């Protein structure tokens, strides 16, 4: 009756993991009347319950002394609700268990969410909280899936045996959710195990690794006896059989590989081609550049002379009011909206974890786990959006590795279009072989170095694999909208700042100066014409600008020079949109190091490629 222990809950709790909230913030008053703590195992629907009770309006902060996020939200009557990490038990053997234990022991009342699909597993934590004598209620979630599985649960008997209120729910549809808060008034201490010592002695006992097994074994036997009394098997339903069959097939190496490739191709086609290409062409070029930007320029020009520096800063090519609006609403909004809809569907149907399982072994070799497959594939559509998607990774270390690999080694769809167009001029299959081989080696080498240098190690995926289920579109759309709106609220000031910086550089001549400073590098190191410096400068603004510049310069270049320039641009500094998002996601220090590292890698590999081609005459 326990679920397959494979993968962590794919829901990233809408947070970047750096202490920043990615949900609308709600003011937390100082005069809290009561603190309620939400506790439960992974994959029991705890996040859905938390969002339903708080209305998705939460604050998130790190637990003191840790990097673990604690979402908080207000309940009626001035009560505070705290979420906790999904854990199987409370102790101090890991950061998550330490945080969960401290939060539970400090709470006034506990809402313990358990899955009706895995009572043997989940009631262990329930009984542990009861043994610690904390007033609590139990939310028995996923009752619909238990019925489809053929399980009959005697809820009144379970309530009597535990000694606490038990509320059956189906959180994704809202069934039973309205009963949770009224039942909090009936929170009870529950029935501790007969051989359980007092709560303080129990905590000391379970914090001792050598003696922990004494209580673990007896509690496990006690919980198993409870489950045998309250759970019986009915005839299995057809829906569950189909769900189970699909879940098993998608983990089969052959079926899983084919389906995974198909899902990734659809993701690339939807987000990387249709949205990043066709839809963004409509929203950015037709709507923003065709209508909105000209209106802004006309309004600014009516009060400021069009040849003045202030006009250039406000409404010029890189203007604060023009380029930032163009990016935010013409590029980012459709990209983020489309990405979150797709990812939310994969999350809620239970398929996203299975993709991660299939790729876990390969990605572990470069310091990542299976979850990183989503940002990596999405990066070929838009590195900016892929950087946002690193939030699905579970540790700061993995987010750092993924963000750096994305920024340096993965070309976006705009660059890929130019690369495809120029490869025939660069030497066809030979050029493709060198290009893909170099990028692959750099990605593997960079990931390996980062994996060795950064402290820690890749997190394991040996947790719960949720069942396959039909996504609830109401939940998908609500989650998508909240994530999209909040991301734009956070990103907009940084994009405006980036536009201001570039436009000031243009007005003061620093942009031209930077171009001149790059000329010796492009000529002496990369063996390219001096005009090639322009493509790197424009690539800093937008990657497709740099690619387009190379396309127009290609008639002046040899095959070897085209390939050298393509490799250098692909590895060069991410565009201002990507860099701004990296700053927001990873912080200024890490972003600056990524920026400098991308310059070093790009010019080093470009220089080596130029000399390799000259020495071998391969092109």
């Amino acid at each position: 009756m326990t679920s397959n222990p494979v993968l962590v809950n794919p829901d990233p709790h809408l947070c970047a993991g750096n202490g920043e909230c990615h949900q609308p913030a709600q003011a937390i008053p100082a005069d809290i009347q009561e603190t309620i703590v939400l506790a439960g195992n992974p994959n029991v629907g705890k996040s859905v319950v938390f969002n339903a009770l708080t209305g998705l309006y939460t604050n998130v902060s790190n637990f003191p002394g840790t990097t673990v996020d604690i979402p908080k939200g207000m309940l009626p009557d001035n009560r505070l609700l705290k979420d906790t990490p999904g854990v199987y038990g409370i102790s101090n053997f890991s950061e998550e268990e330490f945080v969960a234990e401290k939060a539970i022991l400090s709470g006034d009342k506990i809402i313990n969410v358990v899955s009706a699909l895995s009572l043997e597993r989940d009631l262990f934590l329930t009984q542990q909280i009861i043994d610690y004598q904390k007033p609590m209620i139990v939310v028995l979630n996923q009752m619909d899936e238990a019925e489809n599985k053929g399980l009959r649960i005697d809820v009144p008997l379970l309530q009597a045996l535990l000694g606490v209120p038990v509320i059956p729910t189906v959180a994704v549809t809202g069934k039973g959710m309205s009963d949770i808060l009224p039942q909090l008034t009936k929170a009870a201490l529950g029935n501790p195990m007969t051989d359980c010592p007092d709560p303080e002695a129990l905590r000391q006992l379970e914090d001792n690794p050598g003696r922990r097994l004494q209580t673990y074994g007896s509690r496990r036997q006690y919980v198993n006896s409870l489950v045998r009394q309250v759970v019986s098997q009915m005839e299995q339903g057809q829906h569950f059989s189909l769900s189970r069959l699909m879940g098993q097939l998608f983990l089969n190496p052959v079926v899983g590989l084919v389906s995974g490739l198909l899902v990734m191709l659809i993701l690339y086609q939807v987000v990387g081609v249709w949205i990043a290409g066709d839809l963004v062409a409509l929203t950015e070029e037709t709507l923003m550049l065709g209508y909105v930007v000209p209106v802004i320029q006309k309004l600014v020009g009516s009060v400021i002379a069009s040849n003045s520096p202030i006009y250039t800063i406000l409404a010029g090519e890189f203007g604060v009011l023009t380029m930032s609006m163009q990016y935010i609403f013409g590029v980012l909004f459709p990209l983020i909206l489309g990405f979150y809809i797709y990812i939310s569907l994969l999350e809620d149907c239970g398929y996203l974890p299975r993709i991660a399982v299939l790729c876990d072994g390969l990605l572990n070799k470069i310091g990542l786990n299976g979850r990183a497959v989503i940002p990596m594939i999405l990066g070929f559509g838009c590195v900016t959006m892929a950087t946002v998607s690193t939030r699905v990774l579970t540790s700061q270390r993995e987010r750092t590795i993924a963000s750096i690999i994305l920024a340096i080694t993965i070309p976006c769809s705009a660059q890929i279009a130019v690369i495809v167009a120029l490869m025939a001029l660069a030497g066809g299959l030979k050029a493709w072989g060198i290009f893909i081989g170099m990028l692959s080696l750099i990605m593997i080498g960079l990931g390996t170095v980062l994996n060795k240098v950064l402290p820690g190690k890749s997190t394991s995926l040996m947790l719960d694999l949720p069942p396959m289920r039909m996504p609830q579109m109401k939940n998908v759309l609500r989650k998508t909208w909240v994530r999209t709106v909040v991301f734009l609220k956070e990103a907009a000031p940084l994009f405006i700042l980036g536009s201001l910086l570039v436009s000031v550089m243009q007005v003061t001549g620093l942009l031209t100066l930077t171009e001149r400073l790059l000329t010796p590098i492009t000529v002496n190191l990369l063996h390219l014409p001096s005009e090639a410096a322009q493509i790197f400068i424009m690539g800093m603004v937008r990657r497709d600008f740099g690619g387009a510049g190379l396309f127009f310069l290609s008639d002046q270049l040899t095959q070897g020079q085209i390939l050298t320039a393509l490799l250098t641009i692909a590895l060069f500094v991410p565009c201002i949109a990507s860099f701004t998002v990296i700053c927001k996601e990873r912080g200024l220090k890490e972003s600056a190091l990524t920026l400098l590292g991308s310059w070093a890698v790009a010019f080093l590999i470009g220089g080596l490629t130029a000399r390799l081609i000259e020495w071998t005459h391969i092109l």
Side-chain angles (χ1 to χ4, degrees):
M1 282 183 253
T2 57
S3 60
N4 190 12
V6 178
L7 185 71
V8 68
N9 185 350
D11 187 353
H13 299 293
L14 311 184
C15 296
N18 54 6
E20 297 177 347
C21 177
H22 296 283
Q23 305 181 50
Q26 180 186 31
I28 303 296
D31 56 338
I32 300 297
Q33 298 299 316
E34 191 175 49
T35 298
I36 313 298
V37 176
L38 198 64
N41 286 204
N43 289 321
V44 297
K46 188 163 58 70
S47 295
V48 181
V49 173
F50 179 83
N51 292 334
L53 295 180
T54 60
L56 281 174
Y57 290 89
T58 65
N59 281 327
V60 177
S61 60
N62 293 138
F63 191 86
T66 74
T67 60
V68 178
D69 292 328
I70 295 291
K72 303 172 186 176
M74 292 306 300
L75 300 175
D77 302 326
N78 212 26
R79 292 176 293 177
L80 177 66
L81 179 65
K82 289 183 179 181
D83 198 2
T84 58
V87 294
Y88 300 99
I90 50 177
S91 66
N92 58 11
F93 291 111
S94 71
E95 222 177 34
E96 288 78 12
E97 289 186 355
F98 171 79
V99 169
E101 179 185 43
K102 295 302 180 184
I104 290 171
L105 295 181
S106 64
D108 297 310
K109 293 178 181 177
I110 312 299
I111 300 177
N112 176 217
V113 183
V114 302
S115 172
L117 292 169
S118 51
L119 285 181
E120 287 181 343
R121 179 200 69 185
D122 293 2
L123 289 183
F124 182 89
L125 175 62
T126 304
Q127 189 60 48
Q128 189 175 23
I129 298 173
I130 290 175
D131 294 342
Y132 283 1
Q133 292 292 276
K134 299 295 298 184
M136 67 181 294
I137 63 173
V138 170
V139 174
L140 184 59
N141 194 31
Q142 300 173 346
M143 287 292 290
D144 57 334
E145 295 184 23
E147 292 176 1
N148 287 332
K149 187 178 179 181
L151 298 177
R152 180 186 288 115
I153 300 175
D154 191 335
V155 177
L157 178 57
L158 177 61
Q159 181 169 284
L161 293 174
L162 293 177
V164 300
V166 177
I167 304 103
T169 65
V170 181
V172 293
T173 65
K175 183 178 180 181
M177 300 300 289
S178 60
D179 298 328
I180 296 177
L181 293 183
Q183 288 293 325
L184 267 177
T185 60
K186 302 178 183 178
L189 297 178
N191 301 323
M193 295 188 308
T194 55
D195 59 345
C196 179
D198 67 90
E200 184 59 35
L202 179 63
R203 285 195 290 272
Q204 295 178 3
L205 177 65
E206 295 197 343
D207 285 343
N208 186 321
R211 304 185 62 189
R212 189 184 188 191
L213 288 178
Q214 298 178 21
T215 55
Y216 179 91
S218 58
R219 184 178 293 122
R220 172 52 58 201
Q221 293 180 2
Y222 183 78
V223 168
N224 290 347
S225 69
L226 293 181
V227 174
R228 285 194 294 268
Q229 296 178 65
V230 301
V231 178
S232 58
Q233 189 78 35
M234 300 185 299
E235 183 180 354
Q236 292 190 3
Q238 183 177 2
H239 176 74
F240 168 76
S241 299
L242 179 60
S243 172
R244 182 176 60 180
L245 176 62
M246 291 176 62
Q248 291 174 343
L249 281 176
F250 287 141
L251 287 175
N252 178 275
V254 177
V255 177
L257 177 61
V258 174
S259 64
L261 289 174
L262 179 61
V263 169
M264 290 297 100
L265 286 173
I266 294 173
L267 173 62
Y268 174 75
Q269 181 66 36
V270 171
V271 179
V273 178
W274 290 343
I275 295 178
D278 300 338
L279 183 57
V280 168
L282 175 64
T283 56
E284 182 188 22
E285 297 175 12
T286 303
L287 180 60
M288 299 303 297
L289 292 178
Y291 296 97
V292 177
V293 171
V295 169
I296 294 174
Q297 290 174 332
K298 185 176 180 180
L299 290 174
V300 175
S302 65
V303 294
I304 301 174
S306 60
N307 59 353
S308 68
I310 299 299
Y311 178 90
T312 303
I313 292 174
L314 292 178
E317 183 182 2
F318 311 119
V320 172
L321 299 179
T322 50
M323 190 175 78
S324 59
M325 294 301 102
Q326 172 189 335
Y327 275 10
I328 292 169
F329 296 106
V331 179
L332 276 184
F333 180 73
L335 278 174
I336 293 171
L337 190 67
F339 165 74
Y340 276 141
I341 288 177
Y342 195 90
I343 293 301
S344 296
L345 285 170
L346 292 180
E347 283 179 352
D348 288 8
C349 76
Y351 186 75
L352 187 60
R354 288 163 173 83
I355 298 177
V357 169
L358 294 172
C359 301
D360 184 54
L362 179 63
L363 290 172
N364 267 331
K365 299 182 184 303
I366 57 173
L368 299 171
N369 62 36
R371 287 188 177 194
V373 68
I374 294 296
M376 293 303 166
I377 295 297
L378 195 61
F380 290 99
C382 176
V383 174
T384 303
M385 197 62 254
T387 303
V388 177
S389 74
T390 59
R391 295 176 182 178
V392 303
L393 304 181
T394 53
S395 73
Q396 296 283 10
R397 181 179 187 270
E398 290 160 2
R399 293 177 190 136
T400 296
I401 294 174
S403 297
I404 293 175
I405 289 176
L406 284 168
I408 296 178
T409 67
I410 296 185
C412 65
S413 60
Q415 289 177 302
I416 291 174
V418 177
I419 290 169
V420 171
L422 290 176
M423 272 302 175
L425 299 176
L429 291 177
K430 287 184 179 180
W432 273 116
I434 297 173
F435 184 84
I436 294 175
M438 291 290 282
L439 282 186
S440 300
L441 287 174
I442 295 164
M443 181 184 296
I444 295 171
L446 184 60
T448 302
V449 170
L450 292 172
N451 190 28
K452 297 292 185 182
V453 172
L454 294 178
K457 60 181 181 179
S458 299
T459 57
S460 173
L461 290 179
M462 291 301 295
L463 288 174
D464 295 307
L465 186 68
M468 298 291 294
R469 55 171 69 96
M470 183 65 68
Q472 298 290 324
M473 287 307 300
K474 178 182 177 181
N475 293 332
V476 168
L477 294 177
R478 183 174 63 170
K479 180 163 55 175
T480 296
W481 183 250
V482 169
R483 288 171 166 178
T484 302
V485 170
V486 175
F487 174 81
L488 290 178
K489 286 182 178 179
E490 294 181 350
L494 295 173
F495 274 92
I496 293 172
L497 180 62
S499 300
L500 177 63
L501 177 62
V502 176
S503 59
V504 169
M505 289 179 65
Q506 183 185 30
V507 169
T508 58
L510 286 175
L511 203 59
T512 304
L513 177 61
T514 305
E515 181 179 322
R516 291 175 180 172
L517 292 175
L518 281 177
T519 300
I521 297 177
T522 55
V523 174
N524 299 330
L525 179 63
L526 302 179
H527 295 180
L528 298 174
S530 59
E531 295 84 356
Q534 298 176 4
I535 68 177
F536 299 116
I537 297 298
M538 296 310 298
M540 293 175 62
V541 180
R542 277 190 60 167
R543 283 189 165 188
D544 51 341
F545 288 175
L550 177 59
F551 186 84
F552 292 120
L553 190 65
S554 60
D555 58 348
Q556 305 176 33
L557 305 177
T558 65
Q559 287 184 333
Q561 287 177 321
I562 292 175
L563 181 58
T564 298
L566 284 175
L567 263 173
T568 307
I569 286 180
L571 298 170
F572 194 60
V573 58
C575 64
I576 189 173
S578 300
F579 181 71
T580 303
V581 170
I582 295 172
C583 284
K584 185 175 72 68
E585 295 291 317
R586 309 304 313 146
L588 182 59
K589 180 181 178 181
E590 191 171 309
S591 303
L593 292 174
T594 302
L595 178 70
L596 295 174
S598 67
W599 279 54
V601 171
F603 290 136
L604 175 63
I605 297 301
L608 290 175
T609 302
R611 281 152 182 79
L612 176 66
I613 293 172
E614 291 175 0
W615 294 339
T616 61
H617 302 287
I618 193 172
L619 293 177

